[in-house]
Amino acid sequence: MLETSQPTGRLWFGWLEITGRCQLECVHCYASSGPSGTHGSMTVSDWRRVIDELAALGAGIVQFIGGEPTLHPALPALIDYALSASLEVEAYSNLVHVKPALWATFERPGVRPATSYYADDPVQHAEVTRRPSHARTRANIARAVVRAIPIRVGVISVPNGPGSDAAIADLRALGVTDIGVDRARPFGRSAGGRHADASELCGNCGVGVVAVGPNGEVWPCVFSRWLPAGNVHGQSLPDILDGQAAQQARRELAAALGPDWPCVPRMCNPQCGPSCSPACRPARNCRPVGACVPSYG
């Protein structure tokens, strides 16, 4: 999928947005998730089929996301299933509440949690999440470190929000070593009603990556929701990715991101995550135009 006309077969990463429900209502949420969200129409069997198809297409890693994926009762079972398909797993969670059994899942080889962090100050953090969530998120980040669970944390800067330096220092004091920084991108709630702008994307959407939503929708990435490629309720993932809608989505991305797409030098960072947070991971190394390839870095 490195060219707009190229068929599937080089897929390496998949976002599985298993729910639109979340305890929080973050001001910048790309999915506009919140307490009124639902788990959608995808059944556990549907998600297992998607996982099988991702593995068959060559994917090496999936990220369970939402909404808040820990609110989905099948998350542990779906993580187990992904592991059985030889996929690495990341669960992108707000870490507000982690049940004891889920900690055991996070401790399994090939699994890790990731989260976002907005400020070292509880009041400033709550101004972003719209809930008093800082203490619980911070405590669970610390718990992951104590339990030697590898955890990735993205410090996200929002308009008129606190700076990132104090938050990074706080995370380092907790023992977190995998820290990235990004700004809130104008999609979903963060867009404030504005029309989506593809130039705000990271430049890798639809390039070896794919997102599947809680109602079966397929997008080039979790941010590019206005570019639907199909729905897994009616088609297989390989057919969708080779279909006309996916081709049209890639043409729109190419038109918006310029002639260098899909390898946009300013966005091919040594660590992709969380520059397109909730981020793809492993990282991408930027090679000559048209040769942006994944690497585990």
Side-chain angles (χ1 to χ4, degrees):
M1 294 195 302
L2 293 177
E3 303 295 339
T4 58
S5 61
Q6 185 172 338
T8 58
R10 299 190 68 176
L11 199 64
W12 64 281
F13 179 89
W15 288 274
L16 303 182
E17 189 177 308
I18 60 176
T19 183
R21 183 178 300 165
C22 186
Q23 310 100 320
L24 310 180
E25 202 169 5
C26 296
V27 297
H28 66 296
C29 181
Y30 69 91
S32 300
S33 301
S36 63
T38 73
H39 299 326
S41 59
M42 290 285 283
T43 66
V44 173
S45 294
D46 291 331
W47 284 119
R48 286 176 174 171
R49 175 172 56 84
V50 169
I51 289 169
D52 286 337
E53 290 176 346
L54 285 167
L57 287 167
I61 183 170
V62 293
Q63 184 188 82
F64 290 99
I65 198 168
E68 173 48 42
T70 64
L71 294 178
H72 197 294
L75 177 62
L78 290 172
I79 289 176
D80 288 345
Y81 193 81
L83 292 173
S84 72
S86 299
L87 294 169
E88 293 188 39
V89 174
E90 183 172 84
Y92 206 102
S93 166
N94 58 38
L95 294 184
V96 166
H97 180 63
V98 182
K99 295 179 180 178
L102 194 53
W103 282 116
T105 297
F106 287 164
E107 289 178 326
R108 296 190 60 185
V111 183
R112 71 173 182 179
T115 194
S116 297
Y117 200 61
Y118 306 105
D120 64 321
D121 178 78
V123 174
Q124 292 177 326
H125 196 274
E127 287 174 352
V128 177
T129 64
R130 293 180 174 172
R131 299 290 188 281
S133 58
H134 178 267
R136 286 172 288 177
T137 296
R138 188 179 188 278
N140 282 323
I141 291 172
R143 184 172 298 179
V145 173
V146 168
R147 297 173 77 123
I149 296 171
I151 182 169
R152 183 170 65 84
V153 183
V155 176
I156 313 300
S157 299
V158 300
N160 303 315
S164 59
D165 290 347
I168 292 171
D170 189 35
L171 291 168
R172 287 177 175 160
L174 291 175
V176 179
T177 58
D178 193 349
I179 304 170
V181 180
D182 192 28
R183 60 183 174 82
R185 296 182 183 273
F187 302 108
R189 198 173 285 130
S190 184
R194 290 172 291 166
H195 188 272
D197 180 0
S199 67
E200 293 286 347
L201 296 169
C202 81
N204 289 319
C205 295
V207 185
V209 302
V210 69
V212 182
N215 289 314
E217 307 96 331
V218 176
W219 309 297
C221 78
V222 289
F223 283 156
S224 54
R225 308 163 88 83
W226 76 96
L227 295 173
N231 193 297
V232 296
H233 282 313
Q235 289 180 282
S236 71
L237 194 55
D239 286 345
I240 290 171
L241 296 178
D242 283 337
Q244 292 185 358
Q247 295 289 343
Q248 177 60 31
R250 290 194 283 272
R251 283 193 288 269
E252 291 191 32
L253 288 169
L257 294 170
D260 289 344
W261 183 84
C263 193
V264 182
R266 65 183 176 86
M267 295 308 302
C268 283
N269 300 322
Q271 177 176 299
C272 183
S275 62
C276 47
S277 61
C280 49
R281 184 81 167 160
R284 285 183 175 272
N285 291 330
C286 195
R287 297 188 178 184
V289 171
C292 206
V293 298
S295 67
Y296 286 82

